[in-house]
Amino acid sequence: MDYSNILQEVYEKVSKEEGRGGVASYIPELAKVDPLKFGVFFKEINGRDFGMGDFDEKFSIQSIAKVASLCLAYKMLGEKIWERMGVEPSGTPFNSLVQLESDRGVPRNPFINAGAIVICDILIGELNNPEEDLLSFMREISDNSSISFSENIAESEKSTGYRNVALCNFIKSFGNIENSPEKVIDFYFKLCSIEMSCREISCAFLFLANGGRKISDNKQILSESQTKRTNAIMQSCGLYDESGEFTFKVGLPGKSGVGGGILAIHPYKYAVTLWSPKLNSKGNSYKGMRFLELFTTKARSSIF
Ligand code: GLN
């Protein structure tokens, strides 16, 4: 199927629509981003690709990086990681503390902040140089040596990230953080500060649409079962307390970030990344959701 006409049509329609919501301002650096940016990059496992708008401009991928940190920890430790967190949707905002009290410090899933912070703790325990090794992994999956952290964004988040510091300390109090909270939270802020373009994100995570294998060199990043499970968690938890709505309207595994990006995967078909910085009240890109809803409906291309 040639998706390019539908992609173009939906892009033009959504571009003209009123951009609702606002850019994330709780991280001061993110408030400086031009709210009118809009990019899409679509890449099929057969090699065909299609980009529109600002698809080659790097932006702060924020929580989309939680897919990479999960994949790296899952690759290294296998099913053992599920002793430290669950695979259930939380139904609460991404930075919520409330369930941790009754769940005794075990986060509901690896995509809410609490779960990603535990993944960071796991990676610190497993890697010699966590920051460098994480970047090497990102560069390996994307065949792109330009992928880097943004010191500015990481520092900016650190200056206001009281809630994440609280999460990390709270989990530590239940014994589910092994390293020092300072070290873990610094690594978490670094993870969230990675900058990539829509094209780079789609290329990096295309292996999730290809049974865990990279397209360029056929290297197995995750096993087929781990890939299925990662996509399943994206489906049920990737958009926080809007994951049900995203499944309902879009029908693809997805992962959002407060930088305004959304990655969506159609298993065994394609990866597509959207970027539009204005967020809805759940912290997800307003136009990103809108684009994907129209695209999967018109192209009859959801998994349902
Ligand atoms: N760094 C952000 C935070 O912890 C990530 C949140 C997100 O992208 N949803 O608040």
Side-chain angles (χ1 to χ4, degrees):
M1 164 142 183
D2 183 2
Y3 293 102
S4 56
N5 288 340
I6 299 176
L7 286 164
Q8 190 68 48
E9 192 187 312
V10 174
Y11 184 80
E12 277 162 24
K13 181 172 166 53
V14 177
S15 294
K16 286 185 210 128
E17 289 179 2
E18 187 202 344
R20 294 204 219 142
V23 298
S25 54
Y26 74 101
I27 300 174
E29 271 307 297
L30 289 185
K32 298 181 185 163
V33 174
D34 177 356
L36 299 180
K37 294 286 177 188
F38 189 27
V40 179
F41 196 81
F42 180 88
K43 189 166 176 77
E44 291 179 73
I45 58 171
N46 65 15
R48 255 192 315 205
D49 58 23
F50 196 70
M52 287 156 290
D54 304 302
F55 66 89
D56 261 335
E57 192 169 319
K58 286 184 190 279
F59 61 94
S60 185
I61 75 169
Q62 291 294 320
S63 288
I64 297 176
K66 291 171 182 166
V67 180
S69 53
L70 168 64
C71 290
L72 182 55
Y74 203 8
K75 180 182 168 66
M76 296 179 77
L77 270 96
E79 303 305 318
K80 255 176 67 183
I81 62 171
W82 308 122
E83 291 166 12
R84 308 265 311 263
M85 74 201 73
V87 293
E88 293 296 337
S90 69
T92 56
F94 61 85
N95 54 8
S96 174
L97 284 121
V98 290
Q99 289 163 339
L100 282 172
E101 175 83 37
S102 51
D103 292 349
R104 313 283 312 153
V106 178
R108 291 276 166 109
N109 68 66
F111 291 152
I112 48 172
N113 289 12
I117 288 169
V118 170
I119 291 275
C120 284
D121 183 57
I122 292 174
L123 290 176
I124 290 172
E126 291 298 314
L127 301 170
N128 293 330
N129 300 299
E131 291 184 13
E132 281 159 45
D133 297 347
L134 173 73
L135 271 192
S136 302
F137 178 68
M138 289 304 294
R139 290 172 177 174
E140 183 196 342
I141 60 174
S142 51
D143 289 316
N144 183 335
S145 58
S146 78
I147 314 285
S148 290
F149 303 119
S150 158
E151 300 291 337
N152 269 353
I153 302 264
E155 279 305 313
S156 177
E157 182 159 15
K158 195 173 172 177
S159 71
T160 55
Y162 303 110
R163 203 167 242 279
N164 287 318
V165 172
L167 278 168
C168 190
N169 280 288
F170 199 35
I171 302 170
K172 175 92 179 167
S173 76
F174 290 104
N176 197 16
I177 292 285
E178 288 170 4
N179 298 282
S180 84
E182 293 73 27
K183 206 168 164 185
V184 175
I185 211 66
D186 277 354
F187 184 46
Y188 171 78
F189 290 146
K190 275 289 175 62
L191 169 73
C192 294
S193 81
I194 292 174
E195 294 186 309
M196 290 167 81
S197 66
C198 292
R199 186 204 294 264
E200 288 167 344
I201 296 171
S202 293
C203 292
F205 294 105
L206 191 61
F207 72 91
L208 290 173
N210 192 42
R213 274 183 200 280
K214 274 173 71 187
I215 301 294
S216 59
D217 56 10
N218 217 28
K219 198 168 167 199
Q220 193 89 44
I221 304 295
L222 290 182
S223 72
E224 233 173 312
S225 155
Q226 288 173 327
T227 305
K228 183 187 83 176
R229 290 177 164 200
T230 301
N231 284 326
I233 305 170
M234 286 172 72
Q235 185 75 64
S236 54
C237 312
L239 278 87
Y240 316 110
D241 46 341
E242 202 166 34
S243 299
E245 187 91 0
F246 189 74
T247 296
F248 184 64
K249 289 184 171 164
V250 177
L252 293 176
K255 184 75 207 80
S256 60
V258 290
I262 303 181
L263 161 72
I265 303 288
H266 195 312
Y268 300 102
K269 286 197 176 144
Y270 58 77
V272 56
T273 305
L274 291 295
W275 175 44
S276 169
K278 285 194 182 183
L279 310 177
N280 64 22
S281 61
K282 307 283 185 179
N284 297 318
S285 169
Y286 180 83
K287 283 198 172 178
M289 295 262 299
R290 178 87 183 120
F291 180 97
L292 285 169
E293 178 185 3
L294 292 180
F295 171 69
T296 57
T297 306
K298 279 184 192 288
R300 296 191 184 148
S301 185
S302 90
I303 64 168
F304 298 102

